[in-house]
Structures are given as C-alpha cells and as structure tokens.
Amino acid sequence: MKVSGAAVATVAVVTWLSFLATTSDAQGYDFFYLVMQWPRAVCNQPRSNCRAAVPRTFTIHGMWPQTNRGGSPQNCPGRVRDVRSSGRVDRGTLGAMDRQWPNLKRGGRDPNSQFWTHEWNKHGTCSRMSLQNYFRRAVDRAASVDVLRLLRSNRIQPDNRSYRRAAIEAALNRYDPVVKCNDVRSGGRTYKQIHEIRFCVQRDGNRVVSCGRRTQFRSCGSGDIRFSR
C-alpha cells in the first residue's frame, strides 16, 4: 500500500505532539521551585517553636520538583535515615547547608539534618539526582540569588512597613517568582507579610531562570504587603 507524503507528515506531527504532552510525565518534572523563606515570618506565628536566634536573611526551605501542569512529585524511592551521617554529602556542602539551610525550629540532637532529611525524602528523592548534587545545587543556586539585595534595590526593607505589590514586583522582575504570604498580628490588626519567595530553577538545577510570567502573589490578599523585622 502506498502512503502519501502528507500522511507521513501528519503521523510525524501527531507523534511529536504526543511526545511533548508526555515529556514531563516521563521525566517526572519540568523545573524546580527554589523556596526561600523569611525567618521572621516563620517565627512570628503562634506556637512557632523557633530557636531563640534566627538568621536575618532569607534561608532555604527546599528545592521542589514541579511540572508545567502544576504538579509536584513527592516521596519517590531513595529515602535516607539521616543526611549528615549518610556519608553521601561532602563536608564543604554540609557547611554551606548549615549556613544557608538551617532548621529554624527547636528540637532534636541535629535539627538541621532532621530538616534536610525531611526535604530530601519528600522532594529530593524525585529529583533523580544524588544527595550530593541535589544539595550542592540548591545551596549554589540560593547563593546566586541575593533576595535581600533584590528587594533593597527597590527600597524594600524588613522594617515592619507595608509595601505595594508593584514595588515588590519591580524588585523581583528579573526572575518573576512566586511570592507567598502569611498573616501576622500587630497592634490589634492582621497584616499580610512576605513569607516565602519561590524562584524557578531549570530542570538540571544549574541555573535560576525567570518563571516566565508576571510575579504571582499567593495568599497575599489584595492590599499592601508587610516585610517584618
């Protein structure tokens, strides 16, 4: 049977579109969210159980695989009992993690490693990276994005003042990340405050990139947003 060139072309196009539709499923994810948290917004919550002293800079919450369809694969094979004692992350990377990825909460003999182990078991196992590569790339990407400097470039300071969305968006427009808020009570009023900023990282973990859309605000209401001191 003779097959026309048009039919062959049609089959090729359908096959390619089918491949595109299933790529993220086959690979498991399309990009990461590098989730940076503002410690004061974590620790000014009721029953926060935070350490007495917390950093005055953004710290890493996690690096989470994401799909373009909005999914977030979790709890894949490859769990570990404890990241620090696993022998699979080098000392230099562990030192950077202690500085950049601390557990803000009290508890346990090694709260930092407890936090990292939770993040690896829930999110990192789905990265298809080794422990070493996953954590090294997370701390390197976090170091490449000076979040406070970005905000201060538009005169946004952690000073308990509230700032317009447009000012926050302008400060972050190089990356167009996701800004997530939570509530804080002060002086008998409830304010929305900057809690997390989620930056997009390309799938191999090697570069922070624009999320490809205007900055999104989640759980931030419609008014100004506080930056807590």
Side-chain angles (χ1 to χ4, degrees):
M1 181 176 71
K2 197 169 183 181
V3 180
S4 71
V8 171
T10 300
V11 170
V13 169
V14 170
T15 301
W16 176 244
L17 291 175
S18 177
F19 168 77
L20 289 178
T22 59
T23 296
S24 64
D25 292 336
Q27 295 178 334
Y29 64 97
D30 299 294
F31 66 99
F32 290 99
Y33 273 146
L34 175 65
V35 184
M36 305 297 294
Q37 61 185 358
W38 181 240
R40 291 303 304 162
V42 175
C43 296
N44 63 15
Q45 300 297 292
R47 298 178 294 280
S48 64
N49 194 36
C50 281
R51 298 179 179 186
V54 296
R56 296 189 61 81
T57 189
F58 281 86
T59 61
I60 302 170
H61 182 169
M63 192 168 76
W64 303 343
Q66 303 289 307
T67 71
N68 290 333
R69 297 176 179 176
S72 180
Q74 298 178 359
N75 301 310
C76 298
R79 295 172 63 88
V80 297
R81 290 178 61 87
D82 181 75
V83 167
R84 194 188 300 275
S85 63
S86 69
R88 294 160 58 187
V89 182
D90 67 40
R91 292 176 62 183
T93 301
L94 289 171
M97 291 159 64
D98 278 319
R99 294 187 297 274
Q100 296 172 244
W101 200 332
N103 189 346
L104 303 175
K105 306 298 182 71
R106 295 189 182 96
R109 180 179 58 83
D110 188 348
N112 285 356
S113 192
Q114 289 175 3
F115 187 25
W116 307 332
T117 302
H118 165 79
E119 288 295 311
W120 167 259
N121 288 340
K122 185 174 182 180
H123 302 284
T125 52
C126 299
S127 70
R128 302 192 179 184
M129 296 180 188
S130 66
L131 265 82
Q132 172 65 33
N133 286 344
Y134 175 78
F135 285 110
R136 184 73 253 175
R137 290 175 190 179
V139 296
D140 285 349
R141 299 297 78 75
S144 74
V145 179
D146 188 335
V147 187
L148 271 182
R149 182 184 60 80
L150 288 172
L151 293 170
R152 285 172 170 160
S153 71
N154 214 40
R155 299 183 179 180
I156 299 170
Q157 305 273 0
D159 53 10
N160 287 341
R161 293 173 56 198
S162 292
Y163 293 90
R164 298 181 62 185
R165 285 168 177 253
I168 297 170
E169 187 173 352
L172 300 173
N173 66 2
R174 177 180 175 185
Y175 298 106
D176 295 322
V178 175
V179 177
K180 184 174 179 293
C181 299
N182 62 6
D183 293 340
V184 61
R185 292 281 296 174
S186 178
R189 295 181 57 189
T190 299
Y191 297 88
K192 296 291 185 180
Q193 64 178 350
I194 296 173
H195 173 213
E196 291 180 347
I197 301 180
R198 301 178 180 183
F199 294 90
C200 292
V201 175
Q202 63 187 25
R203 188 178 182 277
D204 60 8
N206 284 331
R207 191 161 65 96
V208 181
V209 296
S210 169
C211 291
R213 57 186 180 271
R214 289 185 62 179
T215 296
Q216 294 186 339
F217 293 87
R218 296 184 181 172
S219 305
C220 293
S222 58
D224 294 348
I225 300 170
R226 185 181 178 102
F227 195 7
S228 293
R229 182 169 54 221

